[in-house]
Amino acid sequence: MTDTFRITLGQLNPIVGDLPGNAAMAREAWAKAREAGANLLALTEMFITGYQTQDLVLKPGFTQEAMAHIVDLARDCVDGPAIGIGGPYAEEDRLYNAYWILKGGRVVARVLKHELPHKQLFDEWRLFNVGPISGPYSLDGLRIGSPICEDAWWPEVCETLAETGAEILLVPNGSPYHRGKLDLRMGHMVARVVETGLPLIYLNSVGGQDDQIYDGGSFVLNPGEDGGVVKVMQLAPFDEMLAHVDFTRTSAGWRAVPGRMDHQPDEWEQDYRAMTLGLRDYMRKSGFRKAVLGLSGGIDSALVATIASDAIGPENVRCVMLPSEYTSQASLDDAADCAGRLGTRLDTVHIEGARDAVGDALAHLMAGTQPDATEENIQSRLRGVMLMALSNKFGELLLTTGNKSEVAVGYATIYGDMAGGYNPIKDLYKTRVFETCRWRNRNHRDWMLGRAGEVIPPQIISKPPSAELRPNQKDQDSLPPYEVLDAILEGLVEKDLALKDLVAQGFEPETVKKVETLLYGSEWKRYQAAPGPRISTKAFWLDRRYPLVNRWRDRL
């Protein structure tokens, strides 16, 4: 009976839909695992298809081809370690999220996901059938239990695996990043180790896929002698890698040998890395090599230009200044200063002529009216037209530059500054935009392709934000101060607080009501004035955005 077992962990970056490419990546990892003398190469959840597949996995032809690639992988990878790989499994009219175990040229086991996530980013109830709780599989004398991602966030699956003879737990994941996610995962996985008394491997995907970022950060836990838990391996977040973990049989059972303990950056660096990797992978996986954006001299576009430079290199970023007579000389100077510090190209396209032409074309219809947001939005939309023209002509991805605060309350122009294919800062409130710029000016990392140093001019960070669509315009003419707006938005959006909760925190009732109305629209204001019971702002918004889903939910 063997007393040692080596697992090669594949913290890798598959591409959704690229079945041949993902299979080739698995073969390459298997060859390296064989060189390292591994017993098992472990890959992540739905690796062969990439994750998340969304409706792609519902196409029978795609699913059958994915399964065929796994069978071919088993046939080709015979003389070496076993492979654990995530992929779909279709049986008659049922479809499962499965973990396939390959050894000796064939499929020797399949684990079917039991706990299907169905909230926030996930809707696996719609895609997959609930699988039965599987028992452990045996490889070279070691019995391994593989709860798939969500299966390990709840006690039932892991407890059943322990009761049916599992000696270690290997958890393949496709777990997206959010701030503080490692601590959240660690809490759940520590609980599973305490409950089962088994060592646990948490193996996570890495890379960007559309609007989701997978941060890796895989780790290994051992049960402690005193009933506690000991972390014996921690992989770096956001980096692709193969890492080996060795297990030995002890008098207390199998235990992982302590291995690499990579540094875990703080939340500011992880957020910035997530934005950079998300943009880089979105472009790479969509076939774009260059990006274009409007550089206004303001802080949002300066940060987006910096992220793009760090993601794909400043030589691949085109910045465009699109001034009108309302654009201050300071903004022109700041945009030029920022592009120079970053090393990006900067072009200038004046919009006055185009704006005057649109005004002349509409003059007979708008005669007798006073200038208002209509004329302001024409300027923003003309900028969108010109940027999209450059994007189309030169094959450059147009980046949008709106932060979460402004987009949430509608302080943005549809078909104008909201035009574009990808927004790296869509999840940053304005106050975090300021601090992120300060962080980047102080820090540079090897994974950044842009220049080191103070690449965002300090005057861009310190000056009052302005859309510059009319004389002497400032954001705070229309919005509460950003530190107030962001705190209220965080309460309403992230924490689902009610008006009374925010007022109790010291915010003015009228300010909270104004932000609520901006966030949820005039229908919310009418609802608040109507008689009857109340629901939370988030429930109200969800009910109107997803009426059919909520009616279905109410029938359960």
Side-chain angles (χ1 to χ4, degrees), residues 330-344:
S331 292
L332 293 169
D333 294 342
D334 291 345
D337 187 11
C338 186
R341 291 171 184 241
L342 290 169
T344 66

Side-chain angles (χ1 to χ4, degrees), residues 75-378:
R75 181 198 63 212
D76 297 342
C77 299
V78 177
D79 185 20
I83 301 175
I85 183 170
Y89 175 59
E91 185 179 42
E92 296 178 348
D93 62 343
R94 303 180 74 78
L95 178 64
Y96 300 99
N97 180 333
Y99 199 60
W100 299 60
I101 310 304
L102 319 178
K103 185 175 175 59
R106 62 190 184 91
V107 178
V108 297
R110 281 187 212 89
V111 179
L112 307 180
K113 191 172 183 178
H114 178 70
E115 298 284 355
L116 301 181
H118 50 276
K119 56 186 177 181
Q120 296 176 338
L121 299 175
F122 298 96
D123 191 11
E124 290 202 351
W125 271 4
R126 186 174 61 83
L127 302 175
F128 298 110
N129 293 100
V130 173
I133 299 179
S134 307
Y137 49 91
S138 183
L139 294 173
D140 297 340
L142 175 63
R143 295 189 299 276
I144 304 173
S146 284
I148 302 171
C149 200
E150 190 86 358
D151 287 344
W153 287 61
W154 309 97
E156 183 182 13
V157 173
C158 292
E159 288 180 352
T160 301
L161 285 166
E163 291 168 358
T164 54
E167 296 172 291
I168 70 168
L169 298 175
L170 166 62
V171 187
N173 291 268
S175 179
Y177 171 79
H178 65 63
R179 197 175 302 129
K181 190 68 172 285
L182 178 61
D183 289 341
L184 180 63
R185 294 171 184 144
M186 192 68 68
H188 285 284
M189 297 307 110
V190 165
R192 303 294 86 81
V193 174
V194 170
E195 292 158 1
T196 63
L198 300 178
L200 180 147
I201 300 169
Y202 185 95
L203 176 61
N204 193 26
S205 295
V206 68
Q209 182 58 49
D210 292 336
D211 61 341
Q212 296 174 22
I213 314 299
Y214 298 89
D215 57 312
S218 307
F219 56 86
V220 181
L221 305 175
N222 270 342
E225 295 180 1
D226 58 354
V229 176
V230 180
K231 182 165 67 171
V232 294
M233 179 178 282
Q234 174 70 69
L235 303 188
F238 302 106
D239 288 337
E240 282 191 87
M241 67 180 74
L242 294 176
H244 312 293
V245 55
D246 292 315
F247 284 85
T248 60
R249 190 192 303 273
T250 73
S251 58
W254 286 88
R255 295 293 183 265
V257 176
R260 60 188 296 169
M261 297 293 289
D262 293 336
H263 170 68
Q264 300 299 297
D266 65 19
E267 67 175 41
W268 294 99
E269 180 170 343
Q270 293 208 35
D271 278 4
Y272 192 84
R273 183 79 183 273
M275 291 184 290
T276 304
L277 178 62
L279 175 59
R280 180 183 298 161
D281 270 6
Y282 183 85
M283 294 185 66
R284 178 176 66 88
K285 294 177 180 182
S286 301
F288 286 97
R289 299 179 61 186
K290 295 180 180 291
V292 60
L293 69 140
L295 190 67
S296 67
I299 193 168
D300 296 322
S301 60
L303 179 56
V304 171
T306 305
I307 292 170
S309 297
D310 285 337
I312 61 174
E315 69 279 5
N316 294 312
V317 179
R318 180 202 299 262
C319 296
V320 185
M321 186 65 176
L322 299 119
S324 74
E325 72 265 34
Y326 302 126
T327 305
S328 67
Q329 186 61 46
S331 292
L332 293 169
D333 294 342
D334 291 345
D337 187 11
C338 186
R341 291 171 184 241
L342 290 169
T344 66
R345 174 174 177 168
L346 178 63
D347 295 319
T348 299
V349 179
H350 291 270
I351 68 166
E352 297 97 328
R355 185 209 53 211
D356 292 344
V358 171
D360 291 344
L362 294 172
H364 66 292
L365 298 177
M366 294 187 178
T369 65
Q370 294 299 313
D372 54 18
T374 304
E375 286 74 14
E376 296 179 21
N377 288 336
I378 287 172

Side-chain angles (χ1 to χ4, degrees), residues 300 373-374 376-381 383-384 400-420 423 425-426 430 466-470 473 475 478-479 482 485 518-519:
D300 296 322
T374 304
E376 296 179 21
N377 288 336
I378 287 172
Q379 298 173 64
S380 179
R381 289 180 177 126
R383 290 181 171 122
T400 29
T401 60
N403 62 73
K404 189 173 183 176
S405 308
E406 295 168 354
V407 173
V409 297
Y411 195 68
T413 304
I414 190 169
Y415 314 124
D417 55 346
M418 294 175 70
N423 185 346
I425 64 169
K426 57 186 173 293
K430 186 77 169 191
S466 171
E468 293 192 326
L469 296 173
R470 63 174 183 265
Q473 184 181 26
D475 288 6
S478 305
L479 300 173
Y482 279 114
L485 175 64
L518 290 171
L519 179 63

Side-chain angles (χ1 to χ4, degrees), residues 125 543 546-556:
W125 271 4
D543 190 56
Y546 301 116
L548 295 177
V549 172
N550 282 276
R551 285 199 291 272
W552 172 78
R553 178 198 63 195
D554 293 341
R555 292 200 299 269
L556 294 179

